[in-house]
Amino acid sequence: LRVFERRAKTASEVGARSNGDLQIGWLRPTLKDPIERPVFLDGLCINKDKTGHCALYMDDPLQEGKIKYITKSFESHPILFSAASEQLTKQILISQPDLAARYHFLEVPKSAIDNIFNKESPDGTNPGDDERALDIPPEGGTLVLFDSVTVPHEVLATRERERWATSGWFHEDQQRVPLHMIT
C-alpha cells in the first residue's frame, strides 16, 4: 500500500463534513496566504436563481465557523471530476484568478500522459510537491486503517508471492435530497 501524506498542516479539518459534503480539492499556500486550504463540494447548494445545486467552498479564513463559496452554483457532471478536467474546473467554475491558480484536485491525477506533458504550476511547484509517499510493506499480521477520503492512496502490485487481503469501508450518513430537487 502506498499512501500520500500532506507535508504541511492544513487550515481546517479535511475529508468529509458532518453534513455529507466531501473534500474534492486543495488551495495551495502562497506568500499572501501561507496555509493550505481544503476545498469542499456542496452537493445541495440552494440558490435564488435555481441554476444549479452544486458549489465549491472553503472555510472562511476571516470568520470562524463560516464558509466562503469560491464558485457560483453549477450542475454536476462527471466530466468536471475526471483526471483531465482540473484545468476546466479552474477556468470555468472558479471566478477569482488568484484562487483558480491555487486550486488542484484532492488527488493529483496520474496517468501515462503525465510523462508527456510537464505539469509544473505557474508558481514553479509540481502537483505532487505538497505530499509525500509512504509505503506500507505487506507483512503478515499488519492491519492498516486510514481515511481513504482524506488520504490519497494506491494499492501496489505484489512481487514474488500471492496477496491475501480483506477490505471494508465505514461511511458517514448520506445527505437527504430535498423533495424540490427530485425530478
Side-chain angles (χ1 to χ4, degrees), residues 76-139:
S76 182
H77 193 282
I79 192 71
L80 293 173
F81 308 105
S82 67
S85 66
E86 186 171 303
Q87 288 300 330
L88 195 66
T89 301
K90 288 179 178 188
Q91 292 173 2
I92 294 174
L93 296 180
I94 302 175
S95 57
Q96 292 177 263
D98 60 323
L99 294 180
R102 295 173 59 189
Y103 177 79
H104 67 93
F105 282 149
L106 181 66
E107 186 170 351
V108 178
K110 299 170 184 83
S111 70
I113 201 160
D114 293 343
N115 299 328
I116 299 169
F117 296 105
N118 180 0
K119 297 193 79 160
E120 189 172 284
S121 299
D123 63 2
T125 62
N126 290 308
D129 286 350
D130 45 7
E131 58 190 27
R132 64 177 160 253
L134 173 65
D135 289 341
I136 293 115
E139 297 175 0

Side-chain angles (χ1 to χ4, degrees), residues 10-183:
T10 62
S12 60
E13 289 185 28
V14 298
R17 293 284 166 100
S18 60
N19 64 1
D21 291 349
L22 290 177
Q23 180 188 357
I24 64 161
W26 293 100
L27 293 179
R28 284 196 177 87
T30 63
L31 291 175
K32 187 176 175 183
D33 182 12
I35 299 172
E36 186 172 43
R37 300 193 182 277
V39 175
F40 296 87
L41 174 68
D42 179 346
L44 296 176
C45 181
I46 301 168
N47 62 35
K48 294 177 233 168
D49 60 1
K50 297 188 182 0
T51 56
H53 62 271
C54 294
L56 301 183
Y57 69 89
M58 64 183 213
D59 289 329
D60 192 326
L62 304 176
Q63 299 182 49
E64 182 76 27
K66 301 285 185 183
I67 63 173
K68 177 181 177 183
Y69 284 96
I70 64 170
T71 66
K72 293 182 179 178
S73 296
F74 59 89
E75 290 293 333
S76 182
H77 193 282
I79 192 71
L80 293 173
F81 308 105
S82 67
S85 66
E86 186 171 303
Q87 288 300 330
L88 195 66
T89 301
K90 288 179 178 188
Q91 292 173 2
I92 294 174
L93 296 180
I94 302 175
S95 57
Q96 292 177 263
D98 60 323
L99 294 180
R102 295 173 59 189
Y103 177 79
H104 67 93
F105 282 149
L106 181 66
E107 186 170 351
V108 178
K110 299 170 184 83
S111 70
I113 201 160
D114 293 343
N115 299 328
I116 299 169
F117 296 105
N118 180 0
K119 297 193 79 160
E120 189 172 284
S121 299
D123 63 2
T125 62
N126 290 308
D129 286 350
D130 45 7
E131 58 190 27
R132 64 177 160 253
L134 173 65
D135 289 341
I136 293 115
E139 297 175 0
T142 301
L143 174 65
V144 180
L145 300 172
F146 64 96
D147 185 341
S148 63
V149 172
T150 62
V151 180
H153 62 283
E154 62 183 328
V155 177
L156 303 173
T158 58
R159 298 182 188 145
E160 303 173 17
R161 62 185 207 196
E162 202 171 66
R163 174 198 333 247
W164 288 73
T166 301
S167 298
W169 292 267
F170 292 100
H171 294 278
E172 57 277 326
D173 289 338
Q174 298 296 307
Q175 291 178 332
R176 293 195 186 279
V177 178
L179 290 176
H180 73 276
M181 290 186 156
I182 300 173
T183 55

